[in-house]
Amino acid sequence: MNFYYRLLSVALTALALSGLLRAQQCCTGSVSSYCTSGTSATGCSPSISGVGVPDSADGSGFDVVVSQVPAQRSGILFYGLRPTSVPQQWAPFSTSYLCVNTPVVRTGPQNSGGAFGNCSGQLHLDFNSFMAANPSALGAPYAAGQQICMQGWYRDPGAPGATNLSNALSFNLCSFAGDTTPPLIVACAANRTIGTGISGQGIVPDFTSNVITSDNCTSASVSQSPAVGSTAQVGVNLITITATDVAGNTSQCFATLTVQDTSAPIISSCAPGQVVAGNSSCQGLIPDFTAGVVVTDAGGGAVTVSQVPPAGSFTTVGAASTVITLTAADASGNTASCNTFLSVTLGASCVVPDGFVWVLPGTFQMGEPGVAEPVHSVSISYWYAMGIREVTQAQYRAIMGVNPSNFQGDLSRPVEQVSWTSARAYCAALTTQQSALGSLPSGYEYRLPTEAEWEYACRAGTTTSWNISGGLNCGRANFAFFSPYWPYYCVGATMAVGSYAPNAWGLYDMHGNVWEHCLDTYADYTSGAVTD
């Protein structure tokens, strides 16, 4: 029994000693600054700080630094055993120690270093090493808990009295080396992805706010490098997170900042417009506009410029001008666009008559599935002009001298009750009249369209039964529908030409209003592909 209690007693003593040591390890010296520094003639405001633990046994380093000192100045640090009861601001021509009570000890002159003309100078002292080298200095040997006050002084030739002071530092001596345990980073900052600004670089955000730390003695401050607000290049950037406790112990973790290029190229000057002569097919060959674009990219990478329509292609038949869209793209896919124009000078034979539009060559599927019109491929290798509206009663009467229409009263209605022969006669008479007036180029004529020309123009690139998306209704065309029981009429009479919206190529009334003649004769469709 006695042996058992003896072991327990030893164990409890060890636990108590362990707790005592841990409590002692939390001594930080209560380091804090006070008082007000003088401002140098060059605008520097020196600030004093301490890093580490001030130790009465000289067992560890305690660095005192006065930063923001004018560069290349002679200075000292001095200390006393207590602060002044009422700290005063540094006064011109004053030679007193305004923040530390006398007597004081001067630690020896030093040069602040740094580059001339700025505030990059420093005064530095390892106080524990100084005590070890000066065992009989003021107050030595020191006892734990001893309060010491320290201030920086430097020559400032441009200031009144030619000197100046920093603020002051107060600290209490620990009985041993103090806190030597680094803080613990429980959770590091999360990786982040940002875009670039107009500079082509990313702006480093704050990574410290979500860092979780703990410390065996006090709290820890968190800093990062690169600093918040600095710039980061496109790509993956390493962010170093540092946790620092009051004693100056540090721990680090790392996060990544991925900067994605999201800034579009900047087009400072678009390509100038150009004028080209039309060819015999009434088209203009599109030149290369990309070389005339002035573009820069904030990221400094390569930028490619493309154009639509592309160089080497031709303008729309008969088009007097064409919009050229130029697009600049960087390596990340960011784009910027501008527009310029290509004007085409057309010969007399290429000028489309008033009321007509050019129809380009092309291939389409003619016919309709499910009826006696086998669908087959038809190619038209030439361009032709198509009247955008049906021939009106006024136009027909002006040429033929008669108006055979049933629905009269409005000469803007389409002419009807016209036979195929009469329709061809009208075209021939119009050709003769316009040729005599010089309004029709040599070799051209007005005629009815072939069935393939008519259906190609009617479809205007569509492949459905009607060229109108969503189907045919009375709001889109004037037509009659005959059911097995009764006929249905949208209007019951013809409407003025162009009363409804045109198709995609600008042609009106391709569905409804009146039947329309074609040039070629009736015949069954073939199933194979045909041309012209």
Side-chain angles (χ1 to χ4, degrees), residues 345-361:
T345 303
L346 299 174
S349 62
C350 295
V351 179
V352 64
D354 187 36
F356 284 73
V357 293
W358 291 116
V359 179
L360 294 172

Side-chain angles (χ1 to χ4, degrees), residues 40 60 64 87 119 129 131 189 225 269 301 360 371 379 426 432 440 459 478 510 519:
S40 75
S60 64
V64 179
C119 302
S129 296
M131 289 192 300
S225 179
S269 178
L360 294 172
V371 297
S379 297
Y426 168 80
T432 300
L440 188 66
R459 288 188 177 278
N478 177 28
M510 298 303 285
L519 180 64

